[in-house]
Amino acid sequence: MTSLCSGPDANGLFGSFGGQYVAETLMPLIHDLAAEYEKAKLDPEFAKELAYFQRDYVGRPSPLYFAERLTEHCGGAKIYLKREELNHTGAHKINNCIGQILLARRMGKKRIIAETGAGMHGVATATVAARFGLDCVIYMGTTDIERQQANVFRMKLLGATVIPVVAGTGTLKDAMNEALRDWVTNVDSTFYLIGTVAGPHPYPAMVRDFQAVIGKETREQMQTQEGRLPDSLVACIGGGSNAMGLFHPFLDDKDVQIVGVEAAGYGIDTGKHAASLNGGVPGVLHGNRTFLLQDDDGQIIDAHSISAGLDYPGIGPEHAWLYDIGRVEYTSVTDQEALDAFHKCCRLEGIIPALESAHALAEVFKRAPTLPKEHLMVVNLSGRGDKDMQTVMHHMGELENQA
Amino acid sequence: MSRLQSRFAELKQQNRAALVTFVTAGDPNYDASLAILKGLPAAGADVIELGMPFTDPMADGPAIQLANIRALAAKQNLAKTLQMVREFREGEQDTPLVLMGYFNPIHKYGVERFISEAKESGVDGLIVVDLPPEHNVDLCDPAQAAGLDFIRLTTPTTDDARLPKVLNGSSGFVYYVSVAGVTGAGAATLEHVEQAVARLRRHTELPISIGFGIRTPEHAATIARLADGVVVGSALIDQIAHAEDSEQAVQGVLSLCRDLADGVRNARL
């Protein structure tokens, strides 16, 4: 059997998904980036440097924590949390940022640009740019700036320039358009640090590789703690980087059930959601062919999710492929289900999860009670919820007003 | 001979460059946009690029982004754009028309259906910004097989090693994007354009049109001395953005087109 881990092919394709659908101006740049990344992968010095920063700067490995109270509450599967929220900057995003900034430095780039939705990738990018003394510009939609003010302030503290993007609905998709426009304009000086497993090749593969540390650690930790592999993995998906990081090292383990959780917003049938696989069709956007939320004319529809980090109308092409071949099961969870899971996790485990991660937890609350006690389930707790206080407070306020 | 080939050959004989105009289909609305389209040849446009609106025009600057938004707000879509071309062709057989845009609306429409309807409605060529030669199988190959020209963008970042790959499979003309940037951005220096044209001539026999940042008749004239075609888009579209009504939008675009055409036609006298 051929490995499911060997993609993408030489053209950056996972099956019929992925590719390099960008303007000609950017083609030479992404070819350079791909070549440099291939070299770096083979360079022991790069690996050593990456390992050093992962350990001493990011704080890896992140614990694989047995969530005893969640387990008791569900009364079924044994639930483990992969504690990515304990990383420096509070989410998995920094795993990728550290990798890419080392690459940017190798390439002699002096200016870093990035898009951000919830602001976690923006904060992680601003963090590594500060650490390496590089200029940093973050594009962020005005809607997201409104709901993630604390992260905007953090980015500014770290020395980044935050540029508000008013186009579209002022969310992640629009920020990505604007970052691409910046890159096409500043081709010589600038490194575009994409935050998820999307965009033109080599980004989906490269970001996945940097995030795969999550899954690799999980394998080892589960072996140590339980003497075997987990039975299932659960992670939330916007672009899909935390999920791909956890899933990828397990793709060839047929007995490991893998579940990705999309954001169903108000419900997929309402049309107000961010579930590209469950509610979209294939198309081409932001450099790759993947599942997209779009209308009958091929115009992109704005996503909706209570979680800014999942509020994106596309999904990484490798997820599109895994969906297509049926290796990964993709489900969805509504805003309300995610909020309920958020509150339960706070009360039961003393952990305030990001609203993104709360989507994965909501799926666990549905699934774990139906499973036997010996079933080992790993949930990626991809980020912490400090950034979401405003959103949650706002929502609780609305509930009180209704009462 | 395709309409593009005939037009460029004819202009070469007259020793002048082509004025290539870009407007977005359906901007500010279907009727005004059709009036603009129908008026362009008489106003001096030698080749027409017609933008297919898309929600996420990643390589475009603010002017064309807004044009896309206006057109989409007026319910423009690909079927209507093709209909617009049919109506344009009822009275105009000589001026080549090229559709320009992004791949997703075509992908959704269906590549085969799009190619056959484009051909049937009188489209001469395609420019699809996010389809580099790496993705020729997606649209370029079948479009050319059906007799549509596929016009490539070359840019300041397209080096000598890559140029043959980009030019291979190009037809109609070559569009040189003279600055690394979005549409409507600042203009390139003359020296840069001169060198770029010389470099392209070493690699291709196709006519070379220069675009990005060309806004005035004077500037158009300068470029017309160096290249086979001068592309103007954002400046024309600004006429629509600043117009108070559809009538003013139509007149504004056609009036600037006439001025630009004067610049281009008198450039080599």
Side-chain angles (χ1 to χ4, degrees):
Chain A
M1 182 195 122
T2 47
S3 170
L4 297 177
C5 297
S6 58
D9 70 11
N11 298 317
L13 291 170
F14 302 92
S16 65
F17 301 101
Q20 298 181 308
Y21 295 87
V22 296
E24 175 56 30
T25 311
L26 293 180
M27 282 306 296
L29 279 73
I30 61 177
H31 282 312
D32 281 355
L33 177 63
E36 189 64 33
Y37 178 54
E38 286 307 311
K39 268 195 277 177
K41 270 203 286 194
L42 301 173
D43 181 355
E45 278 305 307
F46 184 78
K48 205 171 129 189
E49 208 177 11
L50 182 60
Y52 165 75
F53 282 103
Q54 282 176 341
R55 189 190 67 215
D56 289 0
Y57 191 70
V58 176
R60 304 206 69 88
S62 69
L64 182 67
Y65 160 73
F66 169 47
E68 193 177 353
R69 296 250 295 150
L70 279 181
T71 301
E72 269 173 25
H73 176 85
C74 290
K78 191 169 181 185
I79 301 163
Y80 280 86
L81 302 179
K82 181 60 175 164
R83 301 286 306 275
E84 289 298 303
E85 101 282 10
L86 293 177
N87 293 335
H88 182 37
T89 72
H92 69 291
K93 290 292 183 188
I94 192 120
N95 301 330
N96 165 48
C97 289
I98 274 290
Q100 286 198 51
I101 202 95
L102 293 175
L103 205 56
R105 203 176 53 160
R106 280 172 73 101
M107 296 176 79
K109 301 291 184 184
K110 300 287 182 222
R111 179 173 177 270
I112 304 296
I113 59 169
E115 80 295 335
T116 197
M120 297 312 280
H121 175 57
V123 167
T125 303
T127 297
V128 296
R131 169 61 185 76
F132 290 94
L134 301 174
D135 288 342
C136 183
V137 174
I138 305 291
Y139 289 93
M140 188 167 184
T142 46
T143 306
D144 289 339
I145 286 178
E146 184 61 35
R147 57 182 169 177
Q148 303 289 348
Q149 284 172 12
N151 271 347
V152 175
F153 186 64
R154 288 165 83 194
M155 286 184 264
K156 288 180 179 168
L157 280 179
L158 292 160
T161 304
V162 179
I163 300 187
V165 179
V166 289
T169 43
T171 59
L172 183 54
K173 153 183 102 88
D174 310 298
M176 198 152 179
N177 287 335
E178 214 50 41
L180 283 164
R181 291 181 186 120
D182 179 310
W183 201 26
V184 96
T185 308
N186 300 290
V187 289
D188 293 325
S189 63
T190 297
F191 187 100
Y192 182 15
L193 208 162
I194 293 184
T196 191
V197 287
H201 175 70
Y203 284 101
M206 179 171 73
V207 176
R208 172 201 70 200
D209 293 347
F210 290 137
Q211 291 293 0
V213 67
I214 302 172
K216 287 177 193 159
E217 286 176 6
T218 301
R219 277 184 89 92
E220 283 178 24
Q221 289 165 324
M222 195 56 103
Q223 285 289 0
T224 308
Q225 292 173 43
E226 295 280 355
R228 65 180 182 91
L229 291 181
D231 297 297
S232 62
L233 309 171
V234 183
C236 67
I237 298 188
S241 71
N242 90 79
M244 195 50 70
L246 176 63
F247 298 170
H248 195 258
F250 292 96
L251 290 180
D252 286 333
D253 299 297
K254 275 191 297 187
D255 295 335
V256 179
Q257 193 192 358
I258 306 182
V259 183
V261 185
E262 294 192 299
Y266 297 135
I268 290 180
D269 51 358
T270 66
K272 299 269 181 206
H273 61 84
S276 319
L277 293 176
N278 288 297
V281 291
V284 171
L285 180 71
H286 293 152
N288 59 138
R289 182 173 187 276
T290 188
F291 279 74
L292 299 173
L293 304 183
Q294 56 182 313
D295 68 14
D296 292 340
D297 295 325
Q299 306 298 344
I300 306 304
I301 296 173
D302 290 306
H304 164 80
S305 170
I306 190 167
S307 135
L310 304 183
D311 211 342
Y312 180 69
I315 184 166
E318 194 167 8
H319 284 296
W321 173 67
L322 291 169
Y323 171 76
D324 201 40
I325 64 170
R327 171 63 186 98
V328 176
E329 178 188 351
Y330 292 90
T331 62
S332 65
V333 151
T334 63
D335 286 353
Q336 190 55 54
E337 290 170 324
L339 276 164
D340 294 345
F342 172 92
H343 288 294
K344 279 191 207 167
C345 184
C346 292
R347 296 292 181 92
L348 287 168
E349 289 292 348
I351 294 171
I352 301 176
L355 283 173
E356 290 78 6
S357 319
H359 284 71
L361 289 166
E363 183 62 27
V364 170
F365 285 119
K366 291 184 192 175
R367 215 167 261 260
T370 68
L371 293 164
K373 294 199 186 313
E374 58 276 14
H375 183 105
L376 303 178
M377 178 178 275
V378 176
V379 193
N380 202 1
L381 203 71
S382 54
R384 63 180 178 228
D386 308 40
K387 68 181 173 64
D388 294 317
M389 293 302 97
Q390 239 181 321
T391 307
V392 176
M393 269 190 276
H394 176 76
H395 190 85
M396 291 170 81
E398 272 182 3
L399 286 185
E400 274 170 28
N401 290 341
Q402 282 167 17
Chain B
M1 214 186 248
S2 76
R3 267 196 208 101
L4 278 165
Q5 278 176 315
S6 323
R7 177 53 53 97
F8 277 103
E10 176 192 313
L11 296 182
K12 192 171 184 176
Q13 286 220 314
Q14 297 173 23
N15 188 32
R16 74 169 177 89
L19 173 63
V20 182
T21 59
F22 174 91
V23 289
T24 299
D27 174 28
N29 55 58
Y30 187 91
D31 291 339
S33 185
L34 182 60
I36 289 170
L37 198 57
K38 286 183 164 174
L40 281 171
D46 299 301
V47 175
I48 293 171
E49 291 178 2
L50 185 62
M52 298 174 280
F54 183 45
T55 38
D56 294 76
M58 286 154 283
D60 284 300
I64 296 181
Q65 287 176 45
L66 290 172
N68 279 279
I69 291 170
R70 285 191 299 268
L72 290 171
K75 306 278 182 227
Q76 187 72 14
N77 61 22
L78 201 41
K80 287 186 188 172
T81 299
L82 292 168
Q83 179 55 29
M84 195 174 272
V85 178
R86 276 182 211 109
E87 292 186 53
F88 167 76
R89 277 282 170 247
E90 283 167 9
E92 167 58 59
Q93 285 304 317
D94 299 327
T95 304
L97 186 145
V98 171
L99 290 181
M100 180 166 182
Y102 296 82
F103 187 42
N104 197 57
I106 298 172
H107 185 277
K108 188 71 176 63
Y109 200 74
V111 166
E112 257 181 61
R113 175 182 170 209
F114 170 73
I115 290 171
S116 82
E117 291 183 20
K119 187 71 192 157
E120 161 265 315
S121 59
V123 171
D124 299 292
L126 305 174
I127 304 177
V128 184
V129 179
D130 51 357
L131 282 181
E134 281 75 359
H135 286 290
N136 274 352
V137 291
D138 291 57
L139 180 64
C140 174
D141 293 347
Q144 287 187 328
L148 289 170
D149 280 317
F150 204 84
I151 293 110
R152 292 255 178 241
L153 305 176
T154 67
T155 75
T157 59
T158 317
D159 61 17
D160 281 329
R162 186 170 165 79
L163 254 184
K165 181 168 190 165
V166 174
L167 293 171
N168 182 24
S170 290
S171 55
F173 64 94
V174 175
Y175 187 152
Y176 182 68
V177 172
S178 58
V179 286
V182 292
T183 49
T189 63
L190 267 196
E191 197 189 355
H192 171 87
V193 173
E194 244 169 350
Q195 286 172 0
V197 170
R199 187 163 73 95
L200 285 168
R201 298 253 192 247
R202 286 200 297 275
H203 289 272
T204 184
E205 306 273 302
L206 288 170
I208 298 165
S209 296
I210 308 277
F212 280 44
I214 302 168
R215 304 190 62 88
T216 63
E218 295 72 32
H219 192 189
T222 317
I223 300 296
R225 286 181 201 110
L226 305 172
D228 307 308
V230 182
V231 188
V232 182
S234 296
L236 291 168
I237 281 171
D238 281 344
Q239 297 293 321
I240 301 175
H242 299 146
E244 279 166 17
D245 54 35
S246 293
E247 180 54 29
Q248 222 181 65
V250 175
Q251 292 316 318
V253 171
L254 297 180
S255 159
L256 177 59
C257 183
R258 279 188 287 271
D259 293 344
L260 290 163
D262 283 345
V264 169
R265 284 164 201 241
N266 297 324
R268 297 187 200 162
L269 296 181

